[in-house]
Amino acid sequence: MSINWFPGHMAKARREVEENLKKVDVVIEILDARIPYSSHNPMMDEITQHKPRVVILNKMDMADQSETDKWIGRLKAEGKYPVAIMGRSHQIIGKIEPLAKAATEEIFNRMESKGINKRAIRAMIIGIPNVGKSTVINNIAKKKIAKTGNTPGVTKAQQWIKAGKNMELLDTPGILWPKFEDETVGKKLSLTGAIKDSVVPLDEVAIYGLRFLQEHHLEDLRRFYSIDADAESEIIELYEAIGKSRGLKMSGNEINYEAVTNRVIYDIRNAKIGRYTFDKAGGSVGDGQ
């Protein structure tokens, strides 16, 4: 599955990030806790490499907690300041502000030694589309500032947002990178809703999701769809079983494979079957981490 995805507004957004980076003390990157590797934009490493980074693993309530804990440990080992949150929680600022202070302590110590008066921490928020960035920002600001929605790419322009008494946030549009070299990354991004459904072959995404469940969470798959499946079941057999169990048929009692595809993606994307982390903290790139 080859996906090339770099609309004009994303190229413009990259330039704006580069231009505004000198105005901030720290970068706050929001990732999807289900796919911390796949939802990280490698292009941002090059752009923001000289800034300390706070990493937010959002949607932790949809991810495997044990894997989230492993990712926290891995990110700390990389010199970042990570925290796992639920974007709709109203206690977010209390978790982020201490990390931002720790990340910028050296910067403000230097300013103080030069006699520069203390000011609010200026942070840039980055994240690919649909990782919940706008929801997080609205909860930090205690009011609706950023537009939210399940459609990737809702945020279009940069804006400064006051966060409590000690922080100012610069929001940025969600930016994807020019091409996904690893097709598994593209499937994970689609499965979790970061890429518009209209630009990917959804049958490949659903098959990836079913294979993941079959390999790692077979009992969940069997229980949720009330089907008799095992580790050796062919994909066509899983489609047939789910179609029959859920009544997804066309005229002539034929299985509606498109409906099964859409149902499987919806169920996994919305954590209806269970809480899963598709990127393993200890895996290799080929494993999707």
Side-chain angles (χ1 to χ4, degrees):
M1 183 177 71
S2 177
I3 306 172
N4 288 279
W5 175 266
F6 209 49
H9 78 269
M10 289 190 180
K12 180 184 177 185
R14 172 183 171 147
R15 290 194 299 271
E16 289 177 354
V17 167
E18 291 175 314
E19 291 167 3
N20 283 287
L21 204 57
K22 59 182 177 291
K23 300 176 183 177
V24 304
D25 308 305
V26 61
V27 171
I28 299 177
E29 180 179 23
I30 301 182
L31 304 177
D32 187 322
R34 297 170 293 178
I35 49 170
Y37 172 80
S38 299
S39 60
H40 166 67
N41 185 343
M43 190 173 68
M44 288 293 104
D45 286 338
E46 175 189 350
I47 298 171
T48 66
Q49 60 180 318
H50 300 300
K51 296 289 181 180
R53 188 176 308 186
V54 172
V55 179
I56 295 174
L57 297 179
N58 191 28
K59 305 184 182 181
M60 63 174 289
D61 55 318
M62 303 175 80
D64 181 328
Q65 184 61 54
S66 64
E67 284 296 325
T68 298
D69 292 341
K70 292 175 186 176
W71 273 105
I72 292 290
R74 174 171 172 167
L75 291 164
K76 284 181 179 178
E78 293 174 357
K80 300 181 177 73
Y81 298 80
V83 63
I85 66 166
M86 291 180 286
R88 299 188 182 280
S89 167
H90 294 294
Q91 310 302 320
I92 292 175
I93 189 66
K95 293 186 175 183
I96 297 173
E97 188 175 294
L99 294 176
K101 284 182 177 179
T104 58
E105 183 178 12
E106 187 177 328
I107 295 170
F108 280 91
N109 284 343
R110 285 202 305 266
M111 291 171 62
E112 186 178 1
S113 69
K114 295 177 181 178
I116 300 173
N117 291 333
K118 193 167 184 178
R119 56 164 173 76
I121 298 170
R122 294 170 184 161
M124 176 184 287
I125 301 241
I126 63 172
I128 68 170
N130 213 34
V131 290
K133 187 157 61 74
S134 296
T135 301
V136 170
I137 289 169
N138 289 337
N139 280 332
I140 288 174
K142 304 299 184 185
K143 57 184 176 181
K144 189 171 183 179
I145 292 176
K147 293 181 180 178
T148 62
N150 290 326
T151 303
V154 169
T155 307
K156 298 297 184 186
Q158 294 181 328
Q159 53 184 328
W160 282 100
I161 298 137
K162 191 166 181 60
K165 297 179 180 178
N166 301 308
M167 292 182 66
E168 294 175 355
L169 307 179
L170 180 61
D171 186 20
T172 61
I175 308 173
L176 283 169
W177 51 108
K179 184 180 180 181
F180 307 129
E181 299 298 336
D182 182 350
E183 67 175 28
T184 306
V185 168
K187 291 173 184 176
K188 293 175 182 179
L189 288 168
S190 177
L191 190 61
T192 53
I195 305 173
K196 292 179 180 177
D197 287 346
S198 58
V199 302
V200 296
L202 292 180
D203 55 339
E204 293 186 29
V205 176
I207 289 169
Y208 166 78
L210 285 173
R211 287 296 189 208
F212 175 87
L213 292 176
Q214 188 179 24
E215 181 177 351
H216 301 286
H217 303 279
L218 181 59
E219 286 308 311
D220 288 355
L221 178 65
R222 291 163 56 93
R223 172 192 50 78
F224 184 79
Y225 289 113
S226 301
I227 61 174
D228 183 18
D230 58 43
E232 306 301 322
S233 297
E234 298 291 336
I235 283 295
I236 188 67
E237 294 174 329
L238 296 179
Y239 260 74
E240 293 276 349
I242 293 170
K244 290 176 183 176
S245 175
R246 288 293 188 263
L248 302 174
K249 299 181 180 181
M250 301 183 293
S251 57
N253 212 31
E254 300 263 340
I255 298 296
N256 187 331
Y257 294 102
E258 182 178 357
V260 174
T261 288
N262 293 333
R263 174 62 64 87
V264 167
I265 291 174
Y266 174 84
D267 290 336
I268 297 176
R269 183 178 292 171
N270 293 283
K272 300 293 184 183
I273 306 173
R275 294 172 53 173
Y276 306 123
T277 300
F278 302 98
D279 289 336
K280 304 303 181 183
S284 65
V285 173
D287 296 327
Q289 121 12 72

